[in-house]
Amino acid sequence: MGISFELIKDKVEFFEAADLSTLEKKISEQIELNQSIMLRVHHVQHHVTVDENSRRLYTAVVHFKLNQ
């Protein structure tokens, strides 16, 4: 019985932060980590929502794909 490794071909990650600069920092850090396993950014979708107390929540969904 041997160990089997399978390449990750697609990965979707979700991020949230109270301000845009923190959100950008979180995404940038994850981009660097994912580059080490040969994943690149394929698509980014981001939103901002405002609650009843006028607080903003910044969110993003980042789709990474195998770098070929």
Side-chain angles (χ1 to χ4, degrees):
M1 179 182 245
I3 296 175
S4 173
F5 293 98
E6 191 172 318
L7 284 176
I8 298 172
K9 295 179 182 175
D10 283 286
K11 183 179 181 185
V12 176
E13 297 192 42
F14 302 87
F15 302 89
E16 68 178 28
D19 60 81
L20 192 55
S21 62
T22 302
L23 183 67
E24 289 175 342
K25 182 179 179 197
K26 287 180 177 184
I27 294 170
S28 292
E29 289 171 354
Q30 199 59 38
I31 288 171
E32 286 184 34
L33 287 173
N34 284 332
Q35 284 177 341
S36 67
I37 57 172
M38 298 174 51
L39 294 175
R40 63 176 174 81
V41 174
H42 177 69
H43 181 78
V44 177
Q45 185 175 6
H46 55 88
H47 300 278
V48 60
T49 57
V50 181
D51 70 11
E52 63 277 354
N53 297 319
S54 299
R55 288 181 298 203
R56 294 181 182 178
L57 179 64
Y58 296 88
T59 60
V61 178
V62 182
H63 179 194
F64 295 92
K65 288 190 86 160
L66 182 63
N67 188 15
Q68 296 180 342

